[in-house]
Amino acid sequence: MTIHPSELIVPGPTPTGESEKFWAGCRDGELLLQFCERCEHWVFYPRTVCPHCWSDRLDWRRAAGTGSVRSFTVVHKPGHPGWAVAAPYVVAVIDLAEGPTMLTALVGVEPAGVRVGLPVAVRFETVGEFVLPFFAPVPPTA
Ligand SMILES: [Zn+2]
C-alpha cells in the first residue's frame, strides 16, 4: 500500500516561531529552508542559530525540492491510529540537494519500490488543515 494523503485523518504539526515560515511555504507550494548568510550553509530543521557557525544571520530561501533517499523504513504498525489506513508505508530520510536531511514520508511508491539512493522530489499534499511536504520518486513509479 502507499499513502493517499487525502484519506489521512492525523494530527498536524505544531508550528512554532521558528517553523512558521516553513509551513507557510508549504501552503504556497514552496520548500523553504534557512540559509546562513555568514557560512553559506543551508539549514534544516528551522532554528534561530546556525548549527555550523552559531551565527543568527539565517535567511529563508526556496530549495529545489529534490533529493535522494539516504535511509528508510517501512511502517507496519503506526504510532497513531490515523495512519493505519496507509500502512504499510515508507518513512525516509532524504538527502536534500542543498545538503540538509529531512525526515518525511514517501508517496507514489510501494514499499518494495524504495531503495537507498532513489531520486525523489517534494510533493505538497493537503492533510486536514495543513499542507505537508511528502516526497515521491522522480520519475514517478506509481
Ligand atoms: Zn553558519
Side-chain angles (χ1 to χ4, degrees):
M1 200 183 292
T2 184
I3 297 172
H4 299 286
S6 62
E7 295 176 355
L8 294 174
I9 301 173
V10 298
T14 305
T16 63
E18 286 77 33
S19 67
E20 225 168 64
K21 198 131 186 165
F22 175 81
W23 296 115
C26 291
R27 279 195 302 276
D28 294 339
E30 296 185 333
L31 189 69
L32 299 182
L33 303 181
Q34 288 174 302
F35 182 81
C36 177
E37 294 181 333
R38 180 164 180 262
C39 74
E40 303 191 334
H41 278 87
W42 292 83
V43 174
F44 184 81
Y45 54 93
R47 58 195 105 188
T48 55
V49 172
C50 174
H52 305 285
C53 74
W54 309 114
S55 168
D56 62 359
R57 289 170 51 201
L58 292 172
D59 192 18
W60 287 91
R61 296 191 183 179
R62 184 176 184 165
T66 57
S68 60
V69 173
R70 172 188 286 240
S71 182
F72 68 97
T73 190
V74 180
V75 177
H76 291 269
K77 294 190 175 185
H80 185 279
W83 287 91
V85 65
Y89 60 90
V90 178
V91 171
V93 177
I94 305 302
D95 279 321
L96 296 174
E98 290 78 9
T101 57
M102 184 176 288
L103 181 67
T104 183
L106 298 186
V107 294
V109 62
E110 296 295 329
V114 181
R115 59 177 168 77
V116 169
L118 182 71
V120 291
V122 70
R123 193 192 282 183
F124 295 101
E125 301 278 2
T126 300
V127 178
E129 58 183 299
F130 286 93
V131 177
L132 305 180
F134 293 87
F135 279 73
V138 284
T141 58

